[in-house]
């Protein structure tokens, strides 16, 4: 357990905790090397040995305070028997839903598919690279998973307006929540010390539908994670009112995107805050990158603040810039 957990528990820390979303990924040549030899992305996620190696790659290079497991939110639809493929230059493509089959899947059938993830977590949490550091497990939020399962591809391409009208939708929602809990529980049992809930498409939902698709299911998951004695960070990307979200959902910490005004967040929210910096700032020259980072550090200097980005590291990022930024944050104060 490390300073990330301490910060979320509102303890004073010797430096500002830092990790990045997508810190293990395509901007690292050592990741691209493994990836080029493993063209099936899901198989790579389910290769406990290689996914451990990838999880630890960024910690070998940079002074991050936590590792996030190398996995994917879409392993839940996969475990529910939905066909899943990652097409180059397109993104995920999901198959048709066999609702009858999904509803009848047993816990064991689900565990069997996801077992390598738990093996990865167990082995990684015991690795000496993570001494005094945290290991973050995660799930996609219920809404974001429902979007992928019914839309069958990234909603960035198009969002099927009929997704709200699926007659079996309430049953699917229930099964997703049930499976998320199974997956979270196993991750915690195997050594994940913090859970992050990624609601990457929260910004697409109309406000009048928030209660059913975002607030209620996320609150249920947050309560569940807390009942396991573990902290939970929520990242409802693109929503308009982070304050209302925090008041209702009550995560242990809130991760903010790069479009929201950090000054307003600092005024409105008193739980620990994570992130914010636009990942594109890492494509700037050193001086401008650090100026932008300093802005967040100053705004949140009287808060419990976890340094992170407002979304994942962009593949074009130069690892040298990541090092400069991490060292800058670690030396701040
Ligand atoms: O090499 C490749 O082509 C694969 C790229 C890649 C990677 C590195 C994908 C495909 N997933 C991942 C790993 C991943 N996914 C992690 C690893 C841990 C880390 O952060 O280092 C995590 C946390 C995720 C979570 C994830 N997957 C999210 C939530 C966070 C976010 O980025 O918003 C989402 C939406 C996904 C779906 C997904 N997986 C991969 C892609 C390209 C996408 C997004 C597709 C889309 O635009 O809809």
């Amino acid at each position: 357990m490390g300073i990330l957990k301490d910060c979320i528990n509102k303890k004073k820390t010797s430096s500002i905790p830092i990790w990045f979303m997508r810190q293990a990924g395509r901007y690292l040549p050592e990741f691209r090397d493994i990836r080029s030899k493993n063209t099936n992305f899901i198989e790579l996620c389910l290769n406990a040995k290689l996914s451990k190696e990838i999880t630890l790659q960024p910690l070998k290079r940079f002074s991050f305070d936590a590792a996030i497991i190398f996995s994917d939110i879409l392993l839940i639809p996969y475990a529910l028997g939905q066909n899943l493929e990652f097409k180059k230059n397109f993104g995920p493509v999901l198959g048709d839903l066999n609702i009858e089959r999904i509803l009848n899947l047993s816990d064991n059938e689900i565990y069997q598919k996801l077992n390598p993830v738990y093996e990865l977590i167990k082995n990684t949490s015991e690795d000496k690279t993570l001494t005094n550091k945290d290991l973050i497990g995660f799930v996609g939020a219920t809404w974001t998973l429902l979007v992928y399962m019914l839309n069958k591809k990234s909603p960035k391409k198009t969002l099927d307006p009929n997704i709200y009208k699926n007659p079996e939708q309430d049953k699917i929602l229930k099964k997703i929540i049930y499976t998320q809990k199974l997956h979270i529980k196993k991750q915690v049992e195997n050594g994940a010390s913090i859970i992050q809930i990624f609601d990457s498409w929260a910004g697409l939902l109309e406000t009048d539908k928030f209660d059913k698709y975002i607030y209620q299911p996320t609150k249920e998951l947050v309560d569940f994670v807390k009942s396991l004695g573990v902290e939970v960070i929520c990242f409802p990307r693109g929503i308009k009112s982070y304050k209302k979200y925090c008041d209702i959902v009550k995560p242990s910490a809130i991760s903010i995107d790069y479009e929201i005004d950090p000054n307003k967040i600092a005024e409105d929210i008193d739980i620990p805050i994570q992130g914010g910096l636009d990942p594109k700032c890492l494509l700037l020259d050193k001086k401008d990158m650090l100026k932008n980072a300093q802005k967040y550090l100053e705004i949140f200097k009287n808060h419990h603040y976890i340094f992170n980005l407002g979304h994942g590291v962009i593949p074009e990022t130069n690892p040298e810039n990541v090092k400069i930024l991490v060292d800058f944050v670690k030396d701040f104060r």
Side-chain angles (χ1 to χ4, degrees):
M1 309 298 149
I3 64 168
L4 176 56
K5 212 175 174 72
D6 287 343
C7 177
I8 298 176
N9 286 315
K10 302 190 172 180
K11 290 187 190 146
K12 217 171 146 50
T13 55
S14 52
S15 62
I16 293 170
I18 180 169
W19 69 279
F20 288 170
M21 291 186 264
R22 291 280 164 97
Q23 64 188 24
R26 283 176 295 176
Y27 74 105
L28 287 177
E30 58 271 35
F31 171 77
R32 290 198 301 269
D33 185 39
I34 295 181
R35 181 77 171 98
S36 68
K37 296 174 196 138
N38 296 272
T39 49
N40 184 322
F41 181 71
I42 303 136
E43 273 176 21
L44 180 56
C45 288
L46 295 174
N47 179 323
K49 185 166 170 283
L50 286 179
S51 56
K52 175 187 170 187
E53 188 178 333
I54 296 170
T55 298
L56 293 175
Q57 279 176 346
L59 278 90
K60 302 228 154 112
R61 271 187 185 248
F62 315 113
S63 307
F64 284 130
D65 294 299
I68 177 160
I69 58 163
F70 180 76
S71 188
D72 201 90
I73 63 166
L74 297 178
L75 288 187
I76 284 191
Y78 168 81
L80 290 173
Q82 196 170 13
N83 207 34
L84 171 64
E85 230 184 292
F86 283 88
K87 288 220 168 109
K88 216 175 161 155
N89 304 322
F90 184 81
V93 180
L94 292 93
D96 288 338
L97 276 183
N98 183 336
I99 292 166
E100 191 75 7
R101 215 176 96 212
I102 285 187
L103 298 179
N104 288 321
L105 273 178
S106 70
D107 297 2
N108 259 339
E109 285 172 294
I110 294 170
Y111 288 145
Q112 256 173 21
K113 285 204 155 163
L114 296 179
N115 230 352
V117 179
Y118 313 132
E119 203 185 319
L120 145 77
I121 293 177
K122 181 134 195 54
N123 295 340
T124 309
S125 65
E126 289 166 355
D127 193 281
K128 62 177 185 335
T129 316
L130 288 186
T131 308
N132 297 326
K133 300 198 179 207
D134 287 291
L135 180 60
I136 303 166
F138 66 85
V139 287
T142 314
W143 161 247
T144 287
L145 292 180
L146 184 75
V147 166
Y148 279 110
M149 289 174 75
L150 298 179
N151 198 56
K152 299 184 201 161
K153 58 178 183 293
S154 174
K156 200 162 56 187
K157 312 279 171 189
T158 44
L159 178 61
D160 178 355
N162 293 317
I163 66 161
Y164 305 110
K165 296 190 190 136
N166 190 307
E168 308 279 10
Q169 194 214 74
D170 285 1
K171 287 188 200 152
I172 304 172
L173 269 176
K174 262 204 168 136
K175 186 73 181 192
I176 295 175
I177 297 172
Y178 181 81
T179 312
Q180 287 172 304
K181 288 184 179 170
L182 289 182
H183 194 39
I184 289 171
K185 185 154 185 279
K186 281 281 183 190
Q187 293 187 60
V188 170
E189 280 171 2
N190 282 282
S193 57
I194 293 168
I195 295 289
Q196 175 147 325
I197 300 178
F198 285 95
D199 212 345
S200 304
W201 300 111
L204 292 180
L205 187 65
E206 293 146 39
T207 315
D208 65 336
K209 298 193 166 70
F210 259 60
D211 195 50
K212 171 171 181 182
Y213 294 96
I214 293 188
Y215 295 147
Q216 280 190 39
T218 316
K219 172 101 182 72
E220 189 174 337
L221 294 179
V222 163
D223 287 346
F224 181 73
V225 181
K226 289 181 180 171
S227 78
L228 301 173
V230 158
E231 293 73 12
V232 52
I233 308 172
C234 287
F235 179 43
R237 182 165 72 96
I239 61 166
K240 292 196 187 69
S241 181
Y242 275 94
K243 171 156 174 47
K244 185 164 182 202
Y245 180 96
C246 288
D247 286 347
I248 297 174
V249 173
K250 298 190 169 60
S252 320
I254 184 83
S255 201
I256 60 171
D257 66 80
Y258 55 87
E259 281 177 335
I260 203 82
D261 174 10
N263 284 301
K264 175 127 181 52
I265 295 283
E267 250 173 52
D268 284 355
I269 294 180
D270 59 9
I271 65 170
I273 293 161
Q274 165 175 284
L277 181 70
D278 190 337
K280 286 197 270 318
C281 290
L282 279 92
L283 307 178
L284 302 172
D285 62 49
K286 177 183 162 186
K287 189 166 148 270
D288 288 326
M289 172 178 76
L290 295 182
K291 207 171 103 192
N292 280 285
Q294 175 124 18
K295 185 180 110 179
Y296 279 87
L297 291 166
E298 293 292 344
I299 291 172
F300 292 116
K301 72 172 182 287
N302 297 320
H303 271 75
H304 294 280
Y305 183 60
I306 303 155
F307 198 93
N308 201 323
L309 308 177
H311 199 195
V313 181
I314 297 170
E316 290 76 28
T317 304
N318 183 344
E320 187 52 34
N321 269 11
V322 175
K323 176 157 177 37
I324 292 168
L325 178 53
V326 175
D327 290 346
F328 176 75
V329 173
K330 288 279 81 174
D331 287 341
F332 190 78
R333 283 207 272 229

